[in-house]
Amino acid sequence: MIDIRQLREDPQPAKDSLIARGDDPARIDEVLAADGLRLKKQQDFESMRAEQKALSKSIGRADPSERAAVLAQAKELAAKVKEAEAEAGAASAKAQELLAALPNIIIPGIPAGGEDDYEVIAHRGSKIRDFAAEGIKVRDHLEIGEMLQAIDVKRGAKVSGSRFYYLRGIGARLELALLTCAWDLAEQHGFIPMTTPTMVTPDTMRGTGFLTEHSEEIYYLPADDLYLVGTSEVALGGYHGGEILELGEEPLRYSGWSACYRREAGSHGKDVRGIIRVHQFNKVEMFSYCRPEVSQDEHQRLLALEEEMLAKVELPYRVIDTAAGDLGTSAARKFDCEAWLPSQERYLELTSTSNCTTYQARRLGIRYRDENGKTQPVATLNGTLACTRWLVAILENHQQADGSVYVPQALRPYLGGKEILEPVPNA
């Protein structure tokens, strides 16, 4: 949530942010008008209540002949106070609703525009292979996965419907190896490992900013009034909800391992083959709580760890600075790492890391004490360190002519030393 005091003092940065996102800057004026009405209604109520208290005290001192009239006046005023209180409450709720619906203010300097207006920061990692020069006909990850008997989408669809799958044999082992490697890397860099709940309350989902433009993506369990998370960011963000943290110079860092669920609403016909865009997957997510003034440095740290993990699996990739209109509600800036996908000759997003500044913490009531002992909202950041989708890029980029797959050296200790994944005969 944006600080209303910041909007009152200088609304222009918030307006500029909405313009960069492709949104209507008049929303800021609407919020400020609602806030002004809230303040007026609250003042009217408090003034009327003070008058009521003064009148109540005068009843005992009133002349007996006037007491009936004073009581009648008090009764009439009580009704007006009740009405004023209701109006103040309604105005407050409306102002809060409009403020809560505003997206975070972006960090100056990021690209304006929508999904296609990102800025490429760098191309890194392994060299993109020339499969034609190697005499290899490129197979996609599903064909390779089926040759390895590692992926089974047909039975996934039979059991659960489209966009579900089984990872079996070496596929299941490879996913576990990848996620364990990521978790180890996070722990080496001071992130506390966490297995997290995959069902959360509406307050937690709303507090992290996901019940806005992302709400159609979320599975809801009405009988329990719980949501299935699409990322452990939600559970990690809610972990310290309502708390005052002891934050020193170093951020408080967690790495969450969880299953994630997404409805993929609106993606009909997009990435329907294989396991690129699915309803359920596993992920290791980094999450940091820090002082706001160091949040941009922490953001670079998360990005560097994502790149370190991509280097471990030996993939060619690029880093992009996501455009404002493609940011989630909570994010003030987001970097994506996209790996090269040989079968489609395009880049595929594998990681994203977002700086949410104080937006989530204000909603969740997470604070720290500054040097003067005053409580202030913390900044929160998140970043993907590995997920099931990485298997797509690993299988395709490391495929060999016979359908076998080279195992990146960093993953071999987690796979019993395997250097090559061999196709299964008659698969």
Side-chain angles (χ1 to χ4, degrees), residues 160-174:
S160 301
S162 63
R163 298 187 188 271
F164 285 95
Y165 58 95
Y166 286 88
L167 293 180
R168 50 170 289 168
I170 195 59
R173 292 288 308 278
L174 183 60

Side-chain angles (χ1 to χ4, degrees), residues 205 209-220 227-228 263-265 329:
M205 190 66 80
F210 283 88
L211 289 186
T212 50
E213 86 277 8
H214 293 293
S215 58
E216 77 282 355
E217 284 290 309
I218 304 169
Y219 285 104
Y220 177 57
Y227 289 92
L228 291 176
R263 293 187 60 241
E264 292 296 344
T329 299

Side-chain angles (χ1 to χ4, degrees), residues 142-169:
L142 181 57
E143 183 179 355
I144 299 166
E146 288 176 341
M147 291 176 69
L148 299 174
Q149 286 198 356
I151 303 172
D152 191 335
V153 296
K154 292 178 182 178
R155 289 184 176 90
K158 177 180 72 173
V159 171
S160 301
S162 63
R163 298 187 188 271
F164 285 95
Y165 58 95
Y166 286 88
L167 293 180
R168 50 170 289 168

Side-chain angles (χ1 to χ4, degrees), residues 62-249:
D63 187 274
S65 63
E66 299 175 348
R67 190 165 296 164
V70 175
L71 286 170
Q73 184 182 357
K75 184 177 180 180
E76 180 182 354
L77 185 56
K80 290 181 178 179
V81 168
K82 187 175 182 180
E83 182 181 353
E85 183 179 18
E87 289 180 359
S92 178
K94 182 63 176 178
Q96 184 73 7
E97 177 188 349
L98 291 172
L99 180 63
L102 288 177
N104 201 356
I105 297 174
I106 64 171
I107 291 173
I110 75 170
E115 182 179 358
D116 298 324
D117 297 310
Y118 56 82
E119 177 184 331
V120 177
I121 296 174
H123 289 84
R124 296 197 176 111
S126 303
K127 183 179 179 181
I128 293 176
R129 291 171 62 188
D130 186 343
F131 284 95
E134 294 180 38
I136 297 176
K137 181 182 177 181
V138 175
R139 298 179 174 94
D140 74 4
H141 73 281
L142 181 57
E143 183 179 355
I144 299 166
E146 288 176 341
M147 291 176 69
L148 299 174
Q149 286 198 356
I151 303 172
D152 191 335
V153 296
K154 292 178 182 178
R155 289 184 176 90
K158 177 180 72 173
V159 171
S160 301
S162 63
R163 298 187 188 271
F164 285 95
Y165 58 95
Y166 286 88
L167 293 180
R168 50 170 289 168
I170 195 59
R173 292 288 308 278
L174 183 60
E175 182 193 44
L176 183 60
L178 173 69
L179 296 177
T180 305
C181 181
W183 222 11
D184 284 350
L185 176 63
E187 189 171 21
Q188 289 163 14
H189 286 271
F191 288 76
I192 300 169
M194 301 270 279
T195 55
T196 62
T198 57
M199 292 181 283
V200 299
T201 65
D203 284 345
T204 302
M205 190 66 80
R206 188 178 301 109
T208 46
F210 283 88
L211 289 186
T212 50
E213 86 277 8
H214 293 293
S215 58
E216 77 282 355
E217 284 290 309
I218 304 169
Y219 285 104
Y220 177 57
L221 308 174
D224 303 290
D225 194 25
L226 292 171
Y227 289 92
L228 291 176
V229 300
T231 168
S232 60
E233 171 195 344
V234 180
L236 292 170
Y239 185 65
H240 286 299
E243 298 180 19
I244 299 176
L245 305 181
E246 295 296 327
L247 272 184
E249 293 302 317

